Amino acid sequence: MERMNYEDIKTADPEVFKWIQKEVEREEETINLIASENFASLPVLSAQGSVLTNKYAEGYSFARYYGGCQFIDQVEKIAIERTKELFNCEYANVQPHSGSQANMSVYFSTLKVGDAFLAMDLRAGGHLTHGSSVNFSGKFFKPYFYGVDKKTETIDFNIVEDLAKKHKPKLIVCGYTAYPRKVDFKTFSEIASRTEAYLLADIAHIAGLVVAGLHPSPHPFTDFTTTTTHKTLRGPRGGIVMCKNKFAKQVDSTVFPGIQGGPLMHVIAAKAIALHLASTNEFKKYQEKVIANAKVLADSLKKLGYRLVSDGTDTHLVLVDLRPQGITGKDTVEILKKANICINKNTIPFDPLSAKLTSGIRLGTPSVTTQGMGEKEIELIVSFIHSALTNRNDDKKLEQIREEVKALCKKFPPY
Ligand code: DSN
């Protein structure tokens, strides 16, 4: 990553510089299969390091509480216009600092404290902010959960509708963090309409696939759609909330002043740049490769006897059930760490183990695809994973794999 200039940090603060340098090396020498991560593009990184970080801009474009916003007003306007165009939505607010805050803004726009909503259980593939008891969404509101069918490990819409009829949630949430199959937004919207609930799609994971036209769009089916910008979208760490025009005022006032203060204008500029890059043909080709690589990942794992939740993938991620191998997700993370392969443990549907141990791991292809890796490299990575797990008690072998991983990474520098 020679193109990045950290000399000013080195001079000002050698202690922090040392750890940044270590992280640069880790990212250069590690195969990253964390499905929610990516390498942000250089213009996105640059925008985040720009002077826009200096500016307070509470309020919205052309209606701020501070002077001097005439230029950043334009930046936020561009980010909003690009979101609307790319996602084909009626209204957008680009200020949420994260996906969690984007979701929070929808809950506080639609629900009162104690109101019921229906979402997928975190342990089946949902997200913390979809009603987990340790999260604001589970503390302030009354979540009810659907999961997946035990046999197909996909969503059973009859169960979703039955639960909606029984519990009368004000809001239904779809869109997940560990669900390898396509989400049928249209069917969700039909259930929401029959049960008089609002519909929120959290497309944080699949946003890049959606804008590339490789996953069905949530629009025009949802009332609200939230996303992060740093996953498949390859933008800065942050969130966006989209909605129908009729909810625009509520969403805006919930984001600011409801739950946030000043927007992060340097991040909003980076969001605008990422959205521009996501509108290109090159981005579409990139997303096609992300999905193609995920399919190779799934097929190669299956050939070696690994069991995949739902038997495969339609997206950028696969969920592996490691019970047949007799290894927990937690141990797998540690074993693969020794081989410089970075993954996360993940519960699988009906997991008998806790979220701290887990029976599964989640693997995704956005980062390695950004590096330019293709089918051949994915097959090689699967052979590294298999060899590391088979030889998990052999530190020498794990060291040898680590050297091979480093050699592979050297051929595909992310920057
Ligand atoms: N923590 C993210 C993920 O890894 O999926 C979601 O916020």
Side-chain angles (χ1 to χ4, degrees):
M1 299 188 198
E2 299 84 31
R3 288 177 68 190
M4 287 178 207
N5 178 7
Y6 294 125
E7 285 307 309
D8 42 0
I9 306 176
K10 189 177 178 181
T11 310
D13 189 340
E15 196 181 355
V16 169
F17 174 77
K18 183 179 83 185
W19 297 115
I20 292 178
Q21 202 56 25
K22 288 266 179 218
E23 174 60 12
V24 169
E25 280 165 30
R26 189 195 68 80
E27 292 190 18
E28 278 176 340
E29 296 180 347
T30 305
I31 288 168
N32 181 18
L33 296 175
I34 293 185
S36 50
E37 294 184 2
N38 210 330
F39 294 102
S41 64
L42 284 172
V44 162
L45 294 184
S46 300
Q48 289 187 94
S50 73
V51 296
L52 271 66
T53 195
N54 297 337
K55 193 70 202 89
Y56 250 120
E58 284 179 9
Y60 290 99
S61 285
F62 316 111
R64 307 279 186 184
Y65 289 83
Y66 290 79
C69 291
Q70 60 271 35
F71 303 122
I72 54 127
D73 277 351
Q74 300 295 336
V75 172
E76 186 165 340
K77 184 170 161 250
I78 290 169
I80 290 169
E81 280 167 0
R82 289 183 181 165
T83 304
K84 283 160 64 174
E85 173 130 16
L86 207 53
F87 288 94
N88 194 24
C89 63
E90 290 182 14
Y91 192 79
N93 182 313
V94 295
Q95 291 193 4
H97 301 331
S98 70
S100 293
Q101 272 144 313
N103 285 345
M104 187 185 253
S105 75
V106 174
Y107 295 144
F108 283 118
S109 295
T110 51
L111 307 175
K112 290 196 189 67
V113 171
D115 275 351
F117 72 99
L118 179 66
M120 185 184 272
D121 190 349
L122 174 62
R123 290 176 62 81
H127 185 250
L128 266 181
T129 58
H130 297 178
S132 164
S133 61
V134 294
N135 181 261
F136 79 89
S137 55
K139 290 180 196 285
F140 289 175
F141 309 110
K142 177 82 197 95
Y144 291 94
F145 297 110
Y146 59 91
V148 293
D149 175 72
K150 202 158 195 169
K151 196 152 168 252
T152 62
E153 297 177 308
T154 59
I155 293 162
D156 180 337
F157 285 102
N158 292 324
I159 290 182
V160 175
E161 183 148 8
D162 286 350
L163 287 168
K165 282 182 175 152
K166 185 169 169 202
H167 300 297
K168 303 191 181 358
K170 264 199 184 162
L171 176 74
I172 297 177
V173 184
C174 58
Y176 315 103
T177 66
Y179 186 71
R181 296 299 178 177
K182 283 183 181 154
V183 186
D184 181 351
F185 299 116
K186 184 167 183 286
T187 301
F188 267 108
S189 80
E190 287 160 3
I191 294 173
S193 139
R194 282 197 290 274
T195 57
E196 292 178 25
Y198 296 120
L199 181 63
L200 160 64
D202 177 344
I203 61 165
H205 263 262
I206 54 171
L209 311 183
V210 168
V211 302
L214 303 171
H215 186 290
S217 170
H219 305 128
F221 303 114
T222 59
D223 298 299
F224 303 89
T225 300
T226 54
T227 186
T228 54
T229 44
H230 51 276
K231 297 187 176 88
T232 47
L233 213 46
R234 268 201 89 192
R237 191 161 290 278
I240 291 179
V241 52
M242 297 164 253
C243 63
K244 296 227 156 94
N245 274 329
K246 62 182 172 185
F247 302 113
K249 269 199 175 141
Q250 266 164 281
V251 164
D252 279 354
S253 63
T254 308
V255 173
F256 172 82
I259 60 174
Q260 290 188 174
L264 310 177
M265 288 313 306
H266 54 306
V267 177
I268 290 175
K271 286 174 186 170
I273 293 165
L275 292 163
H276 171 61
L277 296 175
S279 69
T280 60
N281 205 31
E282 199 184 334
F283 187 78
K284 183 166 192 240
K285 284 193 187 133
Y286 161 66
Q287 297 296 343
E288 283 167 356
K289 286 186 198 149
V290 166
I291 293 182
N293 279 346
K295 288 210 188 314
V296 175
L297 181 66
D299 292 344
S300 313
L301 285 162
K302 275 162 65 177
K303 267 189 214 148
L304 290 169
Y306 290 89
R307 194 188 88 74
L308 305 187
V309 170
S310 83
D311 198 37
T313 181
D314 301 325
T315 65
H316 62 300
L317 70 84
V318 300
L319 202 53
V320 190
D321 174 3
L322 288 167
R323 285 174 300 177
Q325 280 71 27
I327 321 174
T328 64
K330 180 173 184 274
D331 286 344
T332 304
V333 170
E334 293 309 315
I335 294 160
L336 294 184
K337 189 176 164 197
K338 290 185 186 169
N340 274 23
I341 298 173
C342 190
I343 60 151
N344 67 275
K345 62 187 171 192
N346 219 102
T347 52
I348 54 169
F350 309 100
D351 202 324
L353 298 182
S354 72
K356 283 197 174 144
L357 283 177
T358 81
S359 298
I361 53 171
R362 188 187 64 172
L363 308 175
T365 52
S367 293
V368 289
T369 309
T370 297
Q371 285 174 275
M373 295 192 195
E375 188 169 327
K376 215 171 88 213
E377 289 75 31
I378 299 292
E379 283 170 355
L380 194 57
I381 291 170
V382 171
S383 75
F384 290 151
I385 292 174
H386 185 58
S387 178
L389 294 186
T390 313
N391 297 287
R392 53 187 177 275
N393 297 317
D394 182 345
D395 277 349
K396 258 217 161 108
K397 181 70 188 168
L398 293 172
E399 202 182 313
Q400 185 198 321
I401 300 168
R402 184 168 69 229
E403 291 312 310
E404 290 179 65
V405 164
K406 280 192 196 171
L408 176 63
C409 291
K410 207 163 188 172
K411 284 200 239 160
F412 293 90
Y415 295 102

